[in-house]
Amino acid sequence: GHLGLGKLIVLYDDNKITIDGSTELSFTEDVAKRYEAYGWHVQTVGDVADGIKNLRCAVSAAQAVTDKPSLIKIVTAIGQGSPSKQGTHGAHGAPLGTEDLANTKKGYGFDPEKSFSVDDDVKEIYKKSTAAAEAKRTEWLAMYENYSKDHPEKAAEIARRFKYELPAGILDKLPTFKAGVDKDLATRKFSEACINSVATDLTELMGGSADLTPSNLTAMKCSGDFQKDTPNGRYLRFGVREHGMTAICNGLFAYGGIRPYCATFLTFAGYCVGAIRLSALSKFGVIYVMTHDSIGLGEDGPTHQPIETLESLRSMPNINVFRPADSNETSAAYQVALLKHETPTVICCSRSTVPALRGSSIEKATKGAYTCIESDAAKLILVATGSEVGPCIAAAKSLAEKGVPTRVVSMPCQEIFLEQSEEYQKSVLPGDIPTLAVEASSVHGWHRFSHAQISMTRFGASGKGSAVFEYFGFSSGNIIEKGEALVKYYEGKAVPHLMDRPVFDSIQAGGH
């Protein structure tokens, strides 16, 4: 309604029934008035049991209203024709039953003994409909062929978008970071740079934020807003509608030719997760930018500090969850997101400034994990993500000075790392060297990569981000202490080999 989408027509089946029973149990609002308040054109059709002439007229009237979306409320009886279940919740999710099905068929003049039978006159109607649709398709293809001849560049652009092919050289535009030269920033600012580095030439990129643009930093400098009076804009103001935002992005991707992205705080992914799950299930390569990714966001406190969110998303099939530690890793996240159009990507970004990683690169980060600080004959490995990589690097330097040579592994994306060869995985995380995982998030999921963890086991706290990190043990001092304790724990013992285990495929051949 806000956008005046006049081509949208919604048919609302008002059958007064829910699974529990009558809608009177829980749902008594006036839907028509609600949609009128949204700025929709609303009609009601009271009877379609004896024909759909009135419904056709309503659709025609809706098509004539071009400045508003239309809702047609259709009053129906669920289970129409069933002698015992018509108009009841018994027809909602259960079979009619043999006797009632037979009586329903009799009522419609069908042979009750026949099942899955289609009469010849019905077949003929469908045959004619199919022929008419095929004729329209043939006509459209001829039109498009002529269009392609008259406008070859535009036709090639349409074809490229719908095949999810990227413009030549677009990935080369993603920013790279030189430690000691470029300024240290929060990864949300690196994310902003990534979006704007490709937005001008990647014209199918379209997205926005759930009323958090100044915080998510997702605005495209090359484009204005998509609004009723500016339909050429590519930036969407979703408002405080996280689930609706995510569902809209699914719809944009499903239509084709558009690469949608959307943004909110990571802790608010809980409002989005049903639709994010649909992205993964449907193989929609939606890009999710989730900022304020840890307790490091500070003063907003526990309500805004994500704890379980990362593991919740990581446990979902067919999704890549990135938590980059610097600019190069952020660019790698966007590169993977743009290339993998059948897998949604969640890019989790910090509010706080992160130090540059001297050993990082886009190429390394696209492997999901890599060694950013190497150490000969390492006695300890620190594996971390995002803003916790910096303190691990500082800790590794002090540990080495104390006689504990330490390797530091940055793991921006677990899912991508697990796609790498076993040889590569073992080269980064051998499995038989004491390994300490450090992430300001839930401990769950880190046991397969590490022998011990510094992580969150309770909700966060309100305070300056640095003070909250210190309080919960993510300082370099605590990492040093726990690292030394882990090495000492395994002195004289066999270190459990994390990579020495079988990986089974649970899907059985010959199944569904």
Side-chain angles (χ1 to χ4, degrees), residues 234-377:
R234 291 158 52 199
Y235 195 72
L236 290 158
R237 302 287 181 172
F238 290 106
V240 189
R241 301 182 181 95
E242 289 87 353
H243 177 80
M245 169 183 73
T246 312
I248 288 167
C249 285
N250 281 337
L252 291 172
F253 190 95
Y255 185 83
I258 298 172
R259 286 306 300 272
Y261 71 93
C262 61
T264 185
F265 289 169
L266 179 57
T267 195
F268 298 151
Y271 297 126
C272 308
V273 73
I276 292 177
R277 188 175 188 272
L278 189 61
S279 302
L281 179 63
S282 304
K283 298 183 178 180
F284 293 162
V286 177
I287 300 171
Y288 295 101
V289 182
M290 302 287 184
T291 69
H292 297 59
D293 67 350
S294 77
I295 58 172
L297 64 87
E299 288 84 353
D300 281 341
T303 57
H304 286 55
Q305 294 169 353
I307 303 299
E308 77 292 346
T309 315
L310 282 172
E311 181 54 23
S312 172
L313 293 169
R314 286 169 178 159
S315 64
M316 191 181 297
N318 190 41
I319 193 167
N320 292 323
V321 181
F322 273 85
R323 188 166 182 250
D326 72 352
S327 171
N328 292 327
E329 291 191 8
T330 308
S331 292
Y334 276 92
Q335 177 170 309
V336 171
L338 292 172
L339 288 171
K340 290 185 175 289
H341 64 83
E342 290 191 341
T343 300
T345 301
V346 182
I347 303 175
C348 307
C349 301
S350 69
R351 178 192 181 191
S352 56
T353 298
V354 293
L357 307 184
R358 293 188 177 275
S360 76
S361 71
I362 295 176
E363 182 182 5
K364 291 178 182 178
T366 55
K367 293 183 180 293
Y370 63 98
T371 301
C372 59
I373 298 293
E374 187 55 279
S375 177
D376 295 332

Side-chain angles (χ1 to χ4, degrees), residues 7-324:
K7 294 182 179 180
L8 176 62
I9 300 175
V10 173
L11 305 183
Y12 170 51
D13 180 6
D14 182 20
N15 61 29
K16 301 291 193 295
I17 291 297
T18 69
I19 291 175
D20 279 359
S22 168
T23 52
E24 293 294 322
L25 294 171
S26 59
F27 187 78
T28 54
E29 66 187 55
D30 189 325
V31 173
K33 286 183 179 178
R34 175 156 62 92
Y35 275 79
E36 285 176 359
Y38 289 157
W40 287 51
H41 168 246
V42 178
Q43 303 172 82
T44 297
V45 176
D47 182 16
V48 290
D50 297 319
I52 57 172
K53 180 181 178 181
N54 291 339
L55 177 57
R56 290 187 185 278
C57 290
V59 170
S60 295
Q63 290 172 328
V65 178
T66 58
D67 61 341
K68 294 180 179 181
S70 292
L71 177 82
I72 303 175
K73 174 182 169 181
I74 310 163
V75 180
T76 65
I78 193 169
Q80 178 74 37
S82 167
S84 65
K85 295 185 178 180
Q86 176 177 318
T88 74
H89 71 286
H92 192 289
L96 293 178
T98 304
E99 182 179 350
D100 199 69
L101 179 58
N103 289 330
T104 302
K105 290 179 179 179
K106 287 179 183 178
Y108 282 121
F110 298 144
D111 184 344
E113 300 299 321
K114 288 184 178 180
S115 295
F116 304 104
S117 176
V118 180
D119 290 345
D120 290 339
D121 59 339
V122 176
K123 289 180 182 177
E124 188 61 27
I125 289 172
Y126 275 86
K127 185 178 179 180
K128 289 180 180 179
S129 178
T130 300
E134 288 292 346
K136 287 183 179 180
R137 180 174 182 271
T138 300
E139 180 183 352
W140 188 91
L141 289 172
M143 177 277 295
Y144 187 70
E145 184 177 356
N146 291 331
Y147 175 84
S148 300
K149 292 176 182 177
D150 295 339
H151 307 280
E153 291 184 3
K154 290 182 177 180
E157 174 69 3
I158 292 171
R160 179 192 68 77
R161 290 194 192 185
F162 277 85
K163 288 189 290 186
Y164 304 107
E165 294 176 352
L166 297 175
I170 194 71
L171 298 179
D172 295 333
K173 295 180 180 294
L174 289 167
T176 55
F177 190 89
K178 294 182 179 179
V181 177
D182 296 316
K183 184 180 179 181
D184 292 343
L185 299 169
T187 54
R188 62 173 174 155
K189 293 186 177 180
F190 294 138
S191 169
E192 179 185 32
C194 288
I195 290 171
N196 283 286
S197 70
V198 299
T200 299
D201 297 312
L202 191 67
T203 49
E204 63 265 39
L205 189 68
M206 184 175 187
S209 165
D211 196 45
L212 286 170
T213 299
S215 297
N216 297 147
L217 303 178
T218 44
M220 285 187 280
K221 296 176 182 178
C222 65
S223 176
D225 291 352
F226 179 90
Q227 296 285 2
K228 184 187 298 186
D229 297 326
T230 54
N232 291 328
R234 291 158 52 199
Y235 195 72
L236 290 158
R237 302 287 181 172
F238 290 106
V240 189
R241 301 182 181 95
E242 289 87 353
H243 177 80
M245 169 183 73
T246 312
I248 288 167
C249 285
N250 281 337
L252 291 172
F253 190 95
Y255 185 83
I258 298 172
R259 286 306 300 272
Y261 71 93
C262 61
T264 185
F265 289 169
L266 179 57
T267 195
F268 298 151
Y271 297 126
C272 308
V273 73
I276 292 177
R277 188 175 188 272
L278 189 61
S279 302
L281 179 63
S282 304
K283 298 183 178 180
F284 293 162
V286 177
I287 300 171
Y288 295 101
V289 182
M290 302 287 184
T291 69
H292 297 59
D293 67 350
S294 77
I295 58 172
L297 64 87
E299 288 84 353
D300 281 341
T303 57
H304 286 55
Q305 294 169 353
I307 303 299
E308 77 292 346
T309 315
L310 282 172
E311 181 54 23
S312 172
L313 293 169
R314 286 169 178 159
S315 64
M316 191 181 297
N318 190 41
I319 193 167
N320 292 323
V321 181
F322 273 85
R323 188 166 182 250

